[in-house]
Amino acid sequence: MKIVVTSSLLSASSQNGQKGWYLFSTTNEWLKMPTFRMTDAFSLYCADAAWSDKPSDFFSDMYYEYHGLNSQTWETFEDYSLTEKGTQDLVIKPTGAYYTWNLPDDITQQYYYLTVDKMNFMMWGKARVKYPAMETSTNLYSRYEHVHPVILIQPSFSWDTSGTFGVSAGGISLDKTTYYAHNLTHYIP
């Protein structure tokens, strides 16, 4: 898993004259396709900022590429899919937000086999530093929870602020892999 966490300072003129607003983002790219694919979640967490409470200030998308083979004609094909989310499957908390996504599966049907080759997820969210008149450093964390089911029960997700920041997967008969990334942003008013 490759995770890139970024912060972009927004101009005060685009925020009704308010300083200190950022557009935080994370890109989560699978370098090797996971064997088990159910519902995963990923989050942005920053306790040093006040997150927007407007769902319209958050956005996420999933992009994946696949290739296939028609076993009758031996023709191959390639294509891609881009799915976007605004408020769907979004949970906003005072210290951040997270999205859940159903991962695409490889598909085998009577005459063709479809394989997912590349998959990445992105998320953007707006937050404002707590003290916009002061110079400060801000820690931004990204956390990705990948679920490995022991039995096929959908996981539940919750917000964790007890040292491992962001979204956390839980549930009966569940194993998971957690990926983290961090960005330190220095704000100067």
Side-chain angles (χ1 to χ4, degrees), residues 1-3 28-34 117-119:
M1 171 71 66
K2 175 182 167 184
I3 300 177
N28 309 282
E29 180 179 355
W30 283 97
L31 300 175
K32 180 179 184 243
M33 292 301 99
D117 292 331
K118 179 179 181 177
M119 183 168 48

Side-chain angles (χ1 to χ4, degrees), residues 32 47 62 73:
K32 180 179 184 243
M62 172 180 65
T73 63

Side-chain angles (χ1 to χ4, degrees), residues 4-6 23-28 41-45 51 57-62 85-86 89-93 95-101 120-126 140-143 159 167:
V4 177
V5 184
T6 61
L23 182 63
F24 293 136
S25 68
T26 182
T27 302
N28 309 282
F42 55 92
S43 61
L44 286 168
Y45 173 95
W51 288 81
D57 286 341
F58 295 85
F59 185 77
S60 182
D61 68 29
M62 172 180 65
K85 289 184 180 182
D89 301 321
L90 167 66
V91 177
I92 302 172
K93 297 292 184 176
T95 53
Y98 69 89
Y99 278 94
T100 57
W101 281 91
N120 67 47
F121 301 88
M122 295 185 74
M123 175 182 173
W124 299 266
K126 280 176 52 176
L140 175 63
Y141 300 91
S142 177
R143 179 174 175 173
W159 194 248
V167 68

Side-chain angles (χ1 to χ4, degrees), residues 134-155:
M134 295 174 45
E135 185 173 336
T136 186
S137 292
T138 301
N139 288 296
L140 175 63
Y141 300 91
S142 177
R143 179 174 175 173
Y144 189 104
E145 292 281 284
H146 176 62
V147 176
H148 312 271
V150 177
I151 57 176
L152 294 177
I153 295 176
Q154 286 295 327

